[in-house]
Amino acid sequence: MADQEEKEEQKLLAEWKRKKGGFRASMFIFVLSALDNMGFVANMVSLVLYFYGVMHFDLSSSANTLTNFMGSTFLLSLVGGFISDTYLNRFSTCLLFGSLEVMALAMLSVQAGSRHLHPEACGKSSCVKGGIAVMLYTSLCLLALGVGGVRGSMTAFGADQFDDKDPSEAKALASFFNWLLMSSTLGAITGVTAVVWVSTQKAWHWGFFIITIASSIGFITLAIGKPFYRIKTPGDSPILRILQVLVVAFKNRKLSLPESHQELYEISDKDAAVEKIAHTNQIRFLDKAAIVSEKSKADRWKVCTVTQVEEVKILIRMLPIVGSTIIMNTCLAQLQTFSVQQGNVMNLKLGSLTVPAPSIPVIPLVFITILVPIYELFFVPFARKITNHPSGITQLQRVGVGLVLSAISMAVAAIVEVKRRERGRKDPSNPISLFWLSFQYAIFGVADMFTLVGLLEFFYREAPSGMKSLSTSLTWLSMSLGYFLSTVFVNVINGVTKRVSPSKEGWLHGFDLNHNNLNLFYWFLAILSCINFFNYLFWASRYKYKSDQLHPPPPPAAATNHKKPLDQVPLRKMEIN
């Protein structure tokens, strides 16, 4: 009878999987990704010119304003991830923050189209003040919150359409992240060509208006796909679960750990909704949170389960990986600020066509649209035969490739800047072609393809079941810190070099790139990226994947005996109130 009921449940589950989720559901998410990213990337590469030419910031202030905005956007993805894991489901979170994003874009469109909402040039680092400043910064704050919230929930929502415990769907999940990058890249190509051209050659407000309409269509499309989605209900607060482990471990700091981890408490088998995680011997201090005496009553603030402790251990093991990718995102910030400003003083002609400087990132985007299908359709199947890994190579190997390429990109950027500056000083009326920048953009584009997808898949697969959104938001946290670090580097290097240089002017001062030392700043980032890569190797080589812990290799035959190994004895179980 029990077997028949189990078969019936499996049949119903298979039928549910057939009707819900998979790539059919993902298509709606791909549409949103393309349309939303079209506007996001267009803003990312052109806002620095909007701040410089319309809002009358100077070079470093316009670059810092953009990097602070981008940093805030990615940092706020943690808010979207937290809400979608705890209070709202990921679908509802996307729509909620999407409405804020559309409202902010509408405000930007109004301000860009109204001349009385533009400041007068004043020759200072920033000329915005009063009501103009209030409207500008309010719209930027709302836009950062909206875009960040969507970023924090959309990726995990798309990945929810696949069951990574099902071998066939695990392969589909790996493909999902590649095709998500493909869809966002196609949208970005439209953004950096058509939208940027409209913004810079016609009118800024028309560019913002197009982005507003495109984003609205994207979120409407997401809502239409609701009948096809696998929508997971939110669980306990991941922040609360982390705090419980830290607090209880601190309370029990004077207690001695038992000789065997089998004496620690674990969740009951009745609690089938919770994914169990095997005990590990790393960061053993946290194991004290799972110590409880026989006579004490179990309470979440007095004892935690082994699974709950291991969730915190996983997040702690991820943090060095997050930290090792920050410098790469600092490099990315330069391609969206100083490299765009470089392009603005170069020869923008392609035959009879004038190419907007912010459109130069279309080169790496085209590279990505070519490389993603080749990677997915040819490299991954070939690598799977060798490694037996669902993704072909591990996620951390992908990230490592991207870090190497980002260092090379900064070195190339430094060399190109020397050539541009020399021509600009000798013959200002005949600058070098904008397409010299394509080398650094192309190399970094390939680096981004490897690193971004690798990180998103890594954080989603490794995350505990109740922290998927929050964990994938760590990718955006790395980007956020990279952008903020860019602002710090610009200010600090400007201040230090101003004091030590004979001219008493910083490397990145003023309004004229021909009298700056941007090439030295690029070399600084290239060297720092090389040092950072070795730091990454140290942590990545020591990381233990969750799948390796859940499915360890069988012991050698020679080591097998008739006694049951200690790590196969069931953990003591209890129900936590």
Side-chain angles (χ1 to χ4, degrees):
M1 185 70 179
D3 290 342
Q4 186 176 355
E5 288 180 357
E6 186 176 346
K7 288 180 181 178
E8 188 65 26
E9 287 179 2
Q10 291 177 349
K11 184 178 179 181
L12 290 173
L13 180 61
E15 181 67 15
W16 179 78
K17 282 186 174 182
R18 187 181 66 82
K19 291 182 177 180
K20 301 278 188 177
F23 279 108
R24 180 172 60 173
S26 298
M27 291 302 171
F28 296 94
I29 298 168
F30 292 154
V31 171
L32 170 62
S33 176
L35 292 174
D36 192 49
N37 210 49
M38 180 183 81
F40 178 68
V41 173
N43 282 335
M44 192 166 62
V45 299
S46 64
L47 272 179
V48 68
L49 297 183
Y50 178 70
F51 296 146
Y52 180 74
V54 178
M55 293 295 156
H56 301 297
F57 292 90
D58 68 4
L59 284 172
S60 59
S61 295
S62 57
N64 284 345
T65 302
L66 178 60
T67 52
N68 288 338
F69 164 72
M70 298 298 296
S72 301
T73 298
F74 291 124
L75 184 62
L76 288 168
S77 67
L78 294 173
V79 176
F82 173 72
I83 290 176
S84 64
D85 278 339
T86 310
Y87 299 108
L88 300 175
N89 59 56
R90 287 158 192 157
F91 171 73
S92 300
T93 304
C94 275
L95 293 180
L96 172 64
F97 284 96
S99 62
L100 295 179
E101 178 183 340
V102 171
M103 182 169 63
L105 289 169
M107 290 176 65
L108 278 174
S109 302
V110 171
Q111 184 168 31
S114 304
R115 290 194 176 276
H116 67 278
L117 294 176
H118 299 175
E120 296 293 333
C122 62
K124 298 179 181 178
S125 60
S126 175
C127 299
V128 294
K129 56 185 178 180
I132 295 174
V134 170
M135 185 165 187
L136 175 64
Y137 291 119
T138 299
S139 59
L140 290 177
C141 289
L142 279 176
L143 185 60
L145 180 60
V147 174
V150 172
R151 289 268 180 296
S153 53
M154 182 183 69
T155 303
F157 178 55
D160 284 345
Q161 308 312 310
F162 304 90
D163 182 3
D164 58 354
K165 297 182 183 63
D166 184 323
S168 62
E169 291 201 16
K171 291 182 180 179
L173 177 61
S175 297
F176 164 77
F177 286 104
N178 288 324
W179 294 122
L180 181 68
L181 174 64
M182 182 70 171
S183 63
S184 63
T185 301
L186 291 174
I189 288 175
T190 307
V192 300
T193 52
V195 177
V196 165
W197 184 85
V198 170
S199 295
T200 58
Q201 302 299 314
K202 297 299 181 181
W204 283 100
H205 65 277
W206 283 116
F208 290 133
F209 178 74
I210 291 171
I211 294 170
T212 306
I213 298 300
S215 295
S216 301
I217 294 172
F219 290 110
I220 291 171
T221 302
L222 180 73
I224 291 173
K226 185 179 180 181
F228 301 98
Y229 300 140
R230 298 175 185 175
I231 299 178
K232 296 184 178 180
T233 55
D236 294 338
S237 167
I239 303 297
L240 195 62
R241 290 174 66 83
I242 294 169
L243 285 176
Q244 285 169 350
V245 171
L246 298 177
V247 169
V248 177
F250 181 77
K251 285 181 179 178
N252 295 345
R253 64 189 182 280
K254 295 182 179 180
L255 299 180
S256 299
L257 285 169
E259 294 182 3
S260 170
H261 69 265
Q262 309 295 333
E263 298 180 42
L264 301 173
Y265 278 97
E266 180 54 298
I267 52 178
S268 169
D269 286 330
K270 296 177 183 178
D271 197 357
V274 179
E275 175 191 10
K276 287 186 180 181
I277 304 176
H279 176 268
T280 63
N281 289 321
Q282 295 177 318
I283 322 175
R284 294 210 64 196
F285 170 78
L286 294 179
D287 288 344
K288 293 188 177 184
I291 298 175
V292 67
S293 63
E294 295 290 343
K295 296 181 180 179
S296 64
K297 182 181 178 182
D299 178 85
R300 288 188 182 275
W301 290 100
K302 293 180 179 179
V303 62
C304 301
T305 64
V306 169
T307 290
Q308 191 174 348
V309 171
E310 290 301 320
E311 288 175 352
V312 179
K313 287 184 182 181
I314 287 172
L315 291 178
I316 291 175
R317 288 198 298 267
M318 286 177 174
L319 292 180
I321 304 299
V322 177
S324 301
T325 56
I326 292 173
I327 295 298
M328 177 180 173
N329 291 310
T330 300
C331 298
L332 173 63
Q334 312 320 311
L335 298 184
Q336 294 155 6
T337 53
F338 288 118
S339 292
V340 173
Q341 290 170 338
Q342 284 177 276
N344 205 40
V345 294
M346 296 169 76
N347 184 359
L348 304 177
K349 293 289 185 180
L350 179 61
S352 59
L353 179 67
T354 299
V355 180
S359 292
I360 194 65
V362 75
I363 294 172
L365 294 173
V366 170
F367 266 81
I368 291 174
T369 57
I370 296 171
L371 289 174
V372 167
I374 293 174
Y375 182 88
E376 174 64 28
L377 300 177
F378 297 100
F379 176 79
V380 171
F382 174 75
R384 278 176 185 158
K385 294 178 182 179
I386 300 173
T387 64
N388 292 321
H389 193 279
S391 303
I393 59 175
T394 67
Q395 295 84 38
L396 293 182
Q397 287 171 339
R398 288 190 69 159
V399 174
V401 172
L403 293 181
V404 171
L405 291 175
S406 69
I408 296 172
S409 174
M410 287 296 100
V412 170
I415 295 169
V416 170
E417 169 57 11
V418 170
K419 181 177 180 63
R420 185 211 63 77
R421 190 181 61 189
E422 287 180 352
R423 176 69 69 84
R425 288 176 175 177
K426 293 178 181 178
D427 190 3
S429 63
N430 185 29
I432 66 172
S433 172
L434 172 72
F435 289 91
W436 276 96
L437 297 179
S438 64
F439 296 106
Q440 65 210 54
Y441 275 106
I443 295 170
F444 201 95
V446 178
D448 202 34
M449 182 193 79
F450 277 94
T451 302
L452 180 60
V453 174
L455 283 176
L456 286 172
E457 185 177 355
F458 169 73
F459 288 133
Y460 185 85
R461 285 185 182 274
E462 293 298 297
S465 58
M467 301 182 185
K468 296 291 188 183
S469 294
L470 190 65
S471 181
T472 52
S473 294
L474 292 177
T475 303
W476 313 120
L477 174 63
S478 171
M479 297 189 78
S480 169
L481 296 175
Y483 280 98
F484 284 132
L485 188 60
S486 174
T487 301
V488 172
F489 280 162
V490 169
N491 291 335
V492 170
I493 287 178
N494 248 345
V496 172
T497 54
K498 184 177 181 179
R499 292 181 181 180
V500 301
S501 65
S503 63
K504 298 301 179 182
E505 292 180 338
W507 285 357
L508 307 170
H509 73 282
F511 292 83
D512 190 352
L513 278 176
N514 290 333
H515 293 90
N516 282 348
N517 289 288
L518 180 59
N519 59 305
L520 298 180
F521 185 56
Y522 283 146
W523 278 120
F524 167 76
L525 291 176
I527 295 169
L528 199 60
S529 296
C530 291
I531 297 171
N532 177 66
F533 174 69
F534 290 104
N535 172 60
Y536 172 78
L537 283 182
F538 175 83
W539 295 108
S541 62
R542 285 160 176 75
Y543 186 86
K544 292 182 179 180
Y545 286 92
K546 186 172 72 172
S547 58
D548 295 338
Q549 297 160 13
L550 295 176
H551 308 290
T560 305
N561 55 41
H562 295 291
K563 293 183 179 180
K564 196 169 187 179
L566 186 62
D567 61 359
Q568 292 181 15
V569 178
L571 296 173
R572 293 171 62 189
K573 300 175 178 63
M574 67 179 299
E575 293 187 24
I576 305 295
N577 294 330

